[in-house]
Amino acid sequence: MKYPLLIFNEPSATMRSSKKLSEHGRRKFSRQRFGTFCMKVLLAISLVYVILFFVVVIIFHSNEGLRNNVFAAPYSPIRKSTLIERLRQQHDVTAGRVEEEEVVIISPLKKKAMTHYNAELSLNRNILKLEQRVDASACRKFHESDDGDKQQIVAVMDDKCRELVSTEASSSGELIAFNPLDEERLLCGVVIPHKRPIHLPLNESCLEPTRLFPVEPTLNGKGLPPIRIGDKGPFENWQCDVPCQIGTTSRTRTIFGTSWSFQFSMEGEHYYGNLKIFPRDYLNDHYFATTSFKSEVPLPYFSWAEYSIQEPAVDFDKVIKGASFIARNCNSKNNREGVVQGLIDAGFRVDSLSGCLNNARPPNGLNMNDKKKVQQQYLFHLAFENGCVDDYITEKMWGTLQSGTLPVYFGAPNVRDHVPENSIIIVQDFPTHEDLADYLHEVANNRTLYESYHAWRKKLPQSFIKKYNFTHTHSNCRMCRWAYAKNYGLGWNHEDQRVEETFIPRTLMLDGNTGEIRKPFQEQWMDTSGKFAVTTAAGTNFAAICEDFSCSKKYQTMDLPKYGLTRTVWAHDGVIDVYIDGTNYQGNTNDLIFRLNTDVKSQRPIRSQSSKRDNKFTFVFQDSHTRFTLLTSWDAQVSISRLGVVDISLDKGSFSWFPNLVVRIIVENIDTFHQGGEKKGPYYFASRMTNDFFNSVEILRVA
């Protein structure tokens, strides 16, 4: 037999060493190759970023002027050096420093220079700079002070701009508007975007005041944009009596486009500290939608849609003469399990049917999936909350009332404010567990006494119906209502959770004969001697429209012929603007008084601010219901002559400096809901309308 030859070739030490070197070399090569690969990737990424950067820069410089200027194609931006040279040649001006943030363009058709100014720069000063550079002028009047500085006043357009918008010959010039606010406004029938100039169409609506809202705010919000609740979209319409949309929400809900945030939860503050309401939270725009009735939008567990609490009472003779108890948490904040154990130890029957202190099974073969039927097997049910906090009344209470049995309640200290009278037994009314157990024995053995706790079921008390009437409306809609009222300065009825008119209605009402304002205040004109000025209403058909003081009109012009003054009143955005044109003021001996007779029971202002540097003049007075805020375009003397009567003194010298005076009247309800709300100021709406008043849309006329 031949055997196969087996050869064992053991590698030498040299070969083994060589093999190790070879493996080391391969590993080293792999690391080098990996490093090279990474470097190439980084270089490629860097190259892509560099290319993108240059592309963005090229696109930006190519389109910046077109995106920002007020002209459409074929206008195009030009370089600053070219602009400076053209300005020198065409307008014979010395080109000063051009801000880096400015985007300056030339209209090749009109040959006029226009500037899109950086919003951070002073708009008034920029307008003045532009007037000096080119043949253009601001439509609003300026007053030159003793130090040579021009100050803007809030006023209507000058005569040249008025003529421009009153004629159909648009070739005679053009208007450019700039809105310095961070929100859009409406003028000449078009939207004026914020901080970007726009070419205005020429029509007579340009003579109307600038508006913030497309229509006058009413109680139903028709024609106004929706209130949006949520951090982001998509927003979907929600059925509500004001425009309302709901987006992506969380436990902290925001009102989109504002700084207002809501803590939204039906949990108790004893477990979640962020739900505790502090009196000054509202000052930081921090609001609440919780079970607390101190919330701006309360979220009670009870609602008419979920609970029908007028169900018949259980049959006294057929049910167990004891109490049921259902709870899983045996480590409550208020030690409710100790109360249960105390009743058991005192000899009163308590069937604990759930995880905590379990000692029985549901009777009659029932299961815990139907708690209502389980509760209906007993005379009592221990409706014990897991904490004792005001207004924190959960389904434990409302489900028990609905089942027809008698609740033995342990929880919110103010529970009596929430339930029909004599409808529950309250644990805190008894000094000891034994006393409570003795009373339950007494009720369980006295039909008349037991049924007295159910007498309310025949007819719900009006106090209960009124208290929970707001729960007919979903919390989402109520939150939209609250935000709508706050946004537009309307009244908010916290108890009913609805929008309402201000205590003194702010609708403008005019006298059908004279054109004088009758509501929300009564207008009078007199001189300092006490003589009433004679007034005439402009317009031939006005008296027919406004008979018996029962008309509402958005504006009306009235003449004071003795003084050569014209007064025009406009109602818009929930405020009233009074324009007093003193261009033809005749300079009579006595000064003139513009008097406002109001229903505000106040004899002194709560705030009177005069800032000549900023041309901001504010006068605020109020009573327990209403706050009036008066804004004036120059430092007119405002005072309260007697209860509810405000006088604006117009001395004869003022109109020589300021041909026009504008007075804005803002009417708001006092915030009586929040602690210290009557002292807070200004409120959101007044602050918004004040900002609008003192930051007018700038209009430039280019001939």
Side-chain angles (χ1 to χ4, degrees):
M1 173 181 282
K2 295 183 178 181
Y3 295 92
L5 178 63
L6 301 178
I7 301 176
F8 296 89
N9 183 15
E10 182 178 3
S12 64
T14 302
M15 293 177 64
R16 288 196 298 270
S17 177
S18 177
K19 185 177 181 180
K20 290 180 179 178
L21 287 173
S22 178
E23 292 173 353
H24 174 72
R26 283 196 297 271
R27 288 195 295 270
K28 183 177 181 180
F29 174 76
S30 298
R31 288 196 296 270
Q32 290 176 343
R33 187 167 57 181
F34 179 76
T36 303
F37 174 78
C38 290
M39 287 296 295
K40 289 181 179 179
V41 170
L42 291 175
L43 286 173
I45 293 174
S46 300
L47 182 60
V48 169
Y49 273 107
V50 170
I51 293 173
L52 287 175
F53 174 79
F54 280 106
V55 170
V56 170
V57 169
I58 292 171
I59 293 175
F60 179 84
H61 284 285
S62 298
N63 295 311
E64 178 67 9
L66 291 176
R67 286 187 292 107
N68 289 322
N69 75 65
V70 297
F71 304 101
Y75 303 116
S76 60
I78 64 171
R79 296 182 179 275
K80 289 180 182 177
S81 59
T82 308
L83 167 73
I84 293 171
E85 185 61 27
R86 289 192 188 181
L87 285 175
R88 285 175 175 160
Q89 294 175 359
Q90 297 176 10
H91 304 286
D92 192 23
V93 299
T94 301
R97 176 173 174 264
V98 180
E99 301 292 342
E100 290 297 323
E101 293 83 0
E102 295 180 352
V103 179
V104 185
I105 66 170
I106 290 291
S107 165
L109 296 182
K110 297 289 184 180
K111 299 296 183 184
K112 305 297 180 184
M114 298 304 302
T115 303
H116 177 199
Y117 295 94
N118 186 319
E120 300 299 324
L121 302 177
S122 169
L123 179 63
N124 291 345
R125 295 188 182 277
N126 287 332
I127 292 292
L128 294 176
K129 287 180 184 178
L130 186 56
E131 286 184 278
Q132 294 169 1
R133 290 183 190 151
V134 298
D135 183 17
S137 61
C139 286
R140 299 188 185 279
K141 297 179 175 64
F142 291 85
H143 164 61
E144 188 167 349
S145 60
D146 296 336
D147 58 5
D149 186 26
K150 286 188 175 181
Q151 301 175 355
Q152 181 195 14
I153 62 173
V154 181
V156 295
M157 296 182 185
D158 62 14
D159 293 338
K160 290 184 178 180
C161 291
R162 281 175 168 268
E163 292 174 1
L164 185 61
V165 300
S166 298
T167 178
E168 296 180 359
S170 58
S171 60
S172 61
E174 57 188 7
L175 295 180
I176 307 300
F178 185 95
N179 175 15
L181 287 187
D182 287 328
E183 58 180 322
E184 295 177 343
R185 293 199 269 194
L186 299 167
L187 182 63
C188 302
V190 297
V191 175
I192 312 297
H194 58 89
K195 298 180 180 177
R196 185 166 64 86
I198 186 172
H199 187 191
L200 292 177
L202 301 181
N203 55 67
E204 292 194 357
S205 66
C206 295
L207 299 176
E208 299 180 7
T210 306
R211 301 179 63 95
L212 285 176
F213 315 133
V215 297
E216 193 71 7
T218 59
L219 298 185
N220 60 20
K222 186 177 180 180
L224 291 169
I227 298 296
R228 290 181 165 182
I229 299 176
D231 304 319
K232 57 184 180 180
F235 291 93
E236 297 182 358
N237 291 328
W238 190 271
Q239 186 175 357
C240 191
D241 51 5
V242 299
C244 180
Q245 291 183 345
I246 307 298
T248 303
T249 60
S250 61
R251 285 199 172 185
T252 300
R253 295 192 174 188
T254 58
I255 306 301
F256 191 79
T258 73
S259 60
W260 311 336
S261 66
F262 274 84
Q263 288 295 330
F264 188 95
S265 177
M266 296 179 72
E267 300 291 347
E269 66 181 52
H270 49 293
Y271 279 100
Y272 298 89
N274 63 322
L275 301 181
K276 184 175 178 59
I277 301 174
F278 292 95
R280 298 179 65 83
D281 279 332
Y282 76 100
L283 296 175
N284 298 315
D285 286 337
H286 189 50
Y287 306 103
F288 292 85
T290 69
T291 57
S292 172
F293 273 56
K294 294 180 181 178
S295 296
E296 285 75 14
V297 180
L299 299 178
Y301 276 78
F302 176 83
S303 73
W304 300 99
E306 292 185 69
Y307 295 99
S308 176
I309 60 174
Q310 283 187 277
E311 296 287 335
V314 297
D315 192 324
F316 182 81
D317 296 321
K318 295 182 179 180
V319 297
I320 299 170
K321 300 296 191 289
S324 57
F325 175 67
I326 302 172
R328 291 192 298 270
N329 178 11
C330 227
N331 188 28
S332 62
K333 295 285 187 180
N334 58 357
N335 190 32
R336 64 185 176 188
E337 55 275 5
V339 179
V340 175
Q341 189 62 55
L343 288 174
I344 294 173
D345 294 343
F348 185 75
R349 178 176 176 176
V350 177
D351 288 355
S352 183
L353 305 173
S354 192
C356 181
L357 302 179
N358 180 259
N359 64 1
R361 297 179 63 83
N364 301 325
L366 298 174
N367 62 64
M368 297 304 297
N369 293 329
D370 192 342
K371 294 181 181 179
K372 180 179 178 181
K373 285 188 176 180
V374 171
Q375 292 173 6
Q376 288 174 337
Q377 309 306 307
Y378 298 84
L379 279 180
F380 308 96
H381 178 73
L382 304 186
F384 287 9
E385 310 288 5
N386 58 19
C388 297
V389 177
D390 278 350
D391 304 332
Y392 184 68
I393 303 170
T394 70
E395 77 286 347
K396 294 177 176 60
M397 161 68 78
W398 306 116
T400 303
L401 289 175
Q402 182 174 249
S403 71
T405 190
L406 177 57
V408 179
Y409 184 76
F410 182 49
N414 67 338
V415 65
R416 281 192 175 86
D417 297 337
H418 291 273
V419 297
E421 186 178 0
N422 200 39
S423 61
I424 62 175
I425 296 173
I426 303 174
V427 170
Q428 290 96 318
D429 289 346
F430 300 88
T432 66
H433 300 152
E434 289 76 13
D435 291 331
L436 175 58
D438 290 343
Y439 185 72
L440 293 178
H441 277 299
E442 180 182 352
V443 175
N445 290 283
N446 186 327
R447 175 193 289 271
T448 302
L449 180 58
Y450 182 81
E451 290 180 348
S452 69
Y453 280 98
H454 297 279
W456 62 271
R457 294 182 184 274
K458 297 177 182 178
K459 184 178 181 181
L460 276 175
Q462 286 300 312
S463 58
F464 179 83
I465 295 174
K466 181 174 177 59
K467 189 176 188 69
Y468 282 97
N469 187 56
F470 71 87
T471 64
H472 285 293
T473 305
H474 195 280
S475 59
N476 284 342
C477 178
R478 291 190 282 114
M479 190 173 290
C480 280
R481 287 177 176 177
W482 177 90
Y484 178 86
K486 183 178 177 69
N487 192 54
Y488 296 110
L490 290 162
W492 175 246
N493 187 318
H494 178 264
E495 184 178 21
D496 294 340
Q497 292 281 286
R498 60 179 173 83
V499 183
E500 61 184 15
E501 185 56 86
T502 49
F503 186 79
I504 295 179
R506 62 191 190 184
T507 303
L508 176 64
M509 307 294 285
L510 302 170
D511 189 314
N513 298 314
T514 66
E516 292 176 305
I517 301 170
R518 287 294 175 252
K519 290 181 180 181
F521 57 88
Q522 292 193 19
E523 170 190 18
Q524 286 181 326
W525 293 86
M526 63 185 67
D527 59 26
T528 51
S529 66
K531 294 181 62 177
F532 288 97
V534 178
T535 62
T536 59
T540 57
N541 63 343
F542 184 67
I545 298 174
C546 299
E547 294 178 352
D548 303 325
F549 308 152
S550 60
C551 75
S552 176
K553 192 175 178 69
K554 77 175 180 179
Y555 82 96
Q556 173 59 32
T557 297
M558 182 183 72
D559 295 324
L560 287 84
K562 180 179 179 181
Y563 291 87
L565 298 180
T566 299
R567 188 277 286 142
T568 302
V569 58
W570 289 87
H572 67 95
D573 293 336
V575 300
I576 294 173
D577 286 348
V578 178
Y579 292 78
I580 303 171
D581 186 355
T583 306
N584 300 317
Y585 183 69
Q586 297 174 0
N588 288 275
T589 303
N590 295 320
D591 296 334
L592 191 62
I593 294 175
F594 172 31
R595 172 166 289 180
L596 289 74
N597 295 284
T598 76
D599 291 331
V600 178
K601 304 300 185 290
S602 174
Q603 290 185 311
R604 61 185 179 87
I606 64 166
R607 185 167 63 257
S608 181
Q609 297 175 338
S610 175
S611 175
K612 294 184 179 180
R613 179 178 180 182
D614 299 327
N615 291 321
K616 295 181 179 179
F617 311 105
T618 307
F619 187 87
V620 183
F621 63 103
Q622 67 182 45
D623 57 16
S624 59
H625 299 289
T626 302
R627 173 179 293 180
F628 263 67
T629 300
L630 269 63
L631 312 174
T632 59
S633 59
W634 45 264
D635 194 11
Q637 182 180 347
V638 185
S639 61
I640 297 180
S641 57
R642 60 178 185 269
L643 189 67
V645 179
V646 179
D647 288 344
I648 302 176
S649 299
L650 310 175
D651 65 89
K652 57 185 179 182
S654 297
F655 285 110
S656 62
W657 291 98
F658 303 100
N660 296 276
L661 172 66
V662 185
V663 180
R664 173 165 289 183
I665 299 97
I666 306 171
V667 182
E668 297 174 291
N669 282 358
I670 293 296
D671 180 2
T672 57
F673 175 70
H674 294 109
Q675 181 177 323
E678 73 283 356
K679 299 177 182 178
K680 182 183 182 300
Y683 295 145
Y684 174 80
F685 179 74
S687 178
R688 190 177 182 188
M689 301 314 295
T690 299
N691 198 28
D692 169 69
F693 184 76
F694 290 121
N695 293 276
S696 304
V697 169
E698 290 295 344
I699 305 175
L700 192 70
R701 179 176 59 84
V702 182

